[in-house]
Amino acid sequence: MNHTNQKINNNKEYFISEFQKHFDGIPRIFRAPGRINLIGGHTDYNEGFVLPILLNQYTTVAITPRNDYQLHVWSENMNELLTFSIKDLKPNGNWSDYIVGVAKELLDENFLLSGANVCIKSEIPIGGGLSSSAAVEVAIAKGFLSLVGNTMNKSKVARICQRAENKFVGMKSGIMDQFVIVQGKINHVLFLDCRSLEFEHISLPTDNIRFVVCNTKITHKLGASAYNKRIIECEEGVRLLQEVYPNINALRDVSLRQLTNLKNTLPNVIQRRCYHVISENERVIKSAAAIKQNQFALLGNLINESHDSLRDNYEVSCNELNIMVELARELPGVLGARLTGGGFGGCTITLVETEYVENFTQEISTKYEQKTGLIPEIYVSEPAGGAFELV
Ligand code: GLA
């Protein structure tokens, strides 16, 4: 079993000495956490609602300025140094795109970067659905902004990072990941309206319940292509629905009754995609209310419904995610389980009564390994705060 109860490594000297293995000088250090989404799967790019929390696992960027318009980036995870000219930044099809993409977006916004040495290290599993990519983007954005002495507002940082991912990496992701990574608050869940970007921090008492993350160890290889295909299907849904309801701009604006009225006219796949998004938005709103009223059994049911809809209507689950969820639901103290993140692999999130957490982590690991031959990773972490500078 691999059961990680994360300890936070906020040792500045450690990150400085790691940096100095590759570059001279004393860097500034920025840390950005990974995220899990309690509920609200694939609603963000449909201008809907989400309820993410942050994890105590971080991507760390150590950075010093250069004056020769060169960007030198060392990745501890990849064990690789890549160098770029600031004057000619383009996608490279590898890990550096997140960093180069953010630099390019900042330059396009007239931030006068003159170069940097960067050391980057991620504790967040890459491709595990915990938003390692958005964490890199936010940490590096904060690093670059520190070099030009700018304190940009948090929502704008999130937008710039999202654009970098959309344009440079080609993943047309919504705003959820970057937004919660800048705005998340310790021991709170973030209720976010992805259209207006209005948000509310809702206190998440963890005395009686815990959110346990189970990593299937299947990386979401289908990645960008399947994700972008879902976006196109939702856009098609909006286009067809607009023929009857001209005032709608996104699936966010459609009620279940309106959708049901057109059930027999929409192509089946499009109807199911729309049904998922519209019903999921309702579940997010109900979940936010349930958390406020400490109704965790209700929250668990909504989380279960979310997974079933992502599996059957939105079709973004996979065998291993379904096995992890089904095994979890059979264990004592479990109130609900679902896949979290984009899907096709990565992690599940399970709502477990605190007194059963120890038993749960042991049982789920053994049972998942017996069934799949894969050794999962289990993370039990308190909801963490947003990205910060280590001072
Ligand atoms: C990925 C994307 C997010 C969101 C989720 C699905 O994590 O980056 O923007 O769309 O998938 O909810």
Side-chain angles (χ1 to χ4, degrees):
M1 182 184 70
N2 196 343
H3 165 200
T4 325
N5 219 334
Q6 299 293 324
K7 289 240 177 329
I8 314 172
N9 176 8
N10 269 341
N11 183 340
K12 191 173 176 188
E13 301 313 314
Y14 165 78
F15 290 112
I16 293 176
S17 71
E18 288 292 296
F19 178 88
Q20 289 175 339
K21 287 181 187 162
H22 309 283
F23 305 107
D24 293 332
I26 298 180
R28 287 176 72 173
I29 294 162
F30 297 87
R31 308 200 77 201
R35 69 91 193 90
I36 40 174
N37 189 17
L38 296 191
I39 193 160
H42 292 266
T43 47
D44 61 350
Y45 53 81
N46 288 299
E47 301 189 15
F49 304 97
V50 289
L51 262 185
I53 58 178
L54 294 172
L55 291 173
N56 273 329
Q57 294 181 44
Y58 295 84
T59 292
T60 306
V61 158
I63 189 165
T64 53
R66 299 178 65 105
N67 294 315
D68 57 359
Y69 297 94
Q70 292 284 307
L71 191 53
H72 289 196
V73 190
W74 168 262
S75 163
E76 198 64 35
N77 300 68
M78 300 296 166
N79 203 25
E80 187 175 26
L81 175 75
L82 294 178
T83 62
F84 310 93
S85 162
I86 289 268
K87 294 185 171 158
D88 181 29
L89 296 176
K90 46 185 182 310
N92 301 292
N94 61 28
W95 59 267
S96 68
D97 285 343
Y98 302 101
I99 295 138
V100 174
V102 170
K104 180 78 171 73
E105 286 304 315
L106 288 171
L107 287 164
D108 289 351
E109 292 266 336
N110 295 323
F111 290 99
L112 303 173
L113 296 174
S114 61
N117 288 330
V118 175
C119 199
I120 190 152
K121 178 177 177 150
S122 183
E123 300 159 3
I124 307 167
I126 292 164
L130 301 179
S131 215
S132 53
S133 47
V136 173
E137 291 153 12
V138 170
I140 194 71
K142 284 187 155 275
F144 285 144
L145 287 166
S146 75
L147 299 185
V148 294
N150 190 282
T151 48
M152 182 185 282
N153 101 28
K154 289 181 177 179
S155 302
K156 187 154 185 206
V157 173
R159 279 282 183 223
I160 282 185
C161 293
Q162 183 199 14
R163 279 214 307 269
E165 180 141 353
N166 292 172
K167 289 200 217 159
F168 257 66
V169 185
M171 175 99 173
K172 304 285 176 208
S173 51
I175 189 68
M176 169 175 71
D177 302 344
Q178 293 84 358
F179 199 90
V180 67
I181 290 171
V182 294
Q183 284 289 9
K185 187 170 164 187
I186 194 161
N187 290 332
H188 286 72
V189 57
L190 185 90
F191 176 62
L192 174 65
D193 177 338
C194 299
R195 170 175 279 169
S196 66
L197 295 191
E198 280 169 19
F199 63 92
E200 182 185 354
H201 292 120
I202 303 176
S203 167
L204 198 59
T206 51
D207 301 348
N208 300 324
I209 52 113
R210 287 291 164 91
F211 293 93
V212 183
V213 180
C214 302
N215 189 341
T216 62
K217 301 307 277 289
I218 298 286
T219 50
H220 45 62
K221 291 187 210 71
L222 280 171
S225 63
Y227 184 91
N228 291 346
K229 187 163 176 241
R230 294 298 178 281
I231 296 178
I232 291 168
E233 288 165 346
C234 289
E235 285 167 356
E236 176 65 358
V238 171
R239 195 185 64 73
L240 294 171
L241 287 160
Q242 275 170 338
E243 289 174 7
V244 181
Y245 309 114
N247 292 334
I248 66 160
N249 290 313
L251 290 180
R252 148 74 174 274
D253 302 316
V254 185
S255 68
L256 276 181
R257 174 143 18 121
Q258 285 175 317
L259 182 70
T260 313
N261 287 344
L262 298 188
K263 195 170 175 188
N264 298 326
T265 56
L266 294 178
N268 180 269
V269 168
I270 302 292
Q271 198 274 339
R272 283 185 293 125
R273 304 297 189 249
C274 295
Y275 183 84
H276 167 74
V277 173
I278 298 166
S279 61
E280 185 80 349
N281 275 329
E282 289 191 356
R283 282 187 286 273
V284 178
I285 290 166
K286 286 183 191 160
S287 297
I291 293 171
K292 286 180 186 170
Q293 290 158 15
N294 281 338
Q295 292 180 334
F296 291 110
L298 172 59
L299 177 65
N301 289 340
L302 293 162
I303 285 175
N304 283 338
E305 284 174 21
S306 169
H307 180 82
D308 297 351
S309 180
L310 286 162
R311 182 192 60 208
D312 301 336
N313 297 321
Y314 218 66
E315 296 178 287
V316 290
S317 192
C318 67
N319 199 23
E320 292 78 3
L321 282 167
N322 294 336
I323 289 173
M324 191 73 94
V325 162
E326 277 150 29
L327 291 174
R329 287 177 183 173
E330 286 164 10
L331 290 172
V334 170
L335 302 178
R338 68 182 281 271
L339 70 87
T340 186
F344 305 106
C347 294
T348 64
I349 174 157
T350 306
L351 181 53
V352 188
E353 287 170 323
T354 303
E355 60 181 305
Y356 290 98
V357 165
E358 199 55 49
N359 177 65
F360 173 80
T361 56
Q362 280 168 13
E363 291 282 314
I364 193 85
S365 300
T366 313
K367 294 198 152 122
Y368 181 77
E369 187 180 349
Q370 277 167 358
K371 201 127 199 186
T372 63
L374 296 163
I375 300 175
E377 276 178 13
I378 314 293
Y379 319 112
V380 186
S381 112
E382 308 280 323
F388 63 97
E389 179 169 9
L390 196 55
V391 288

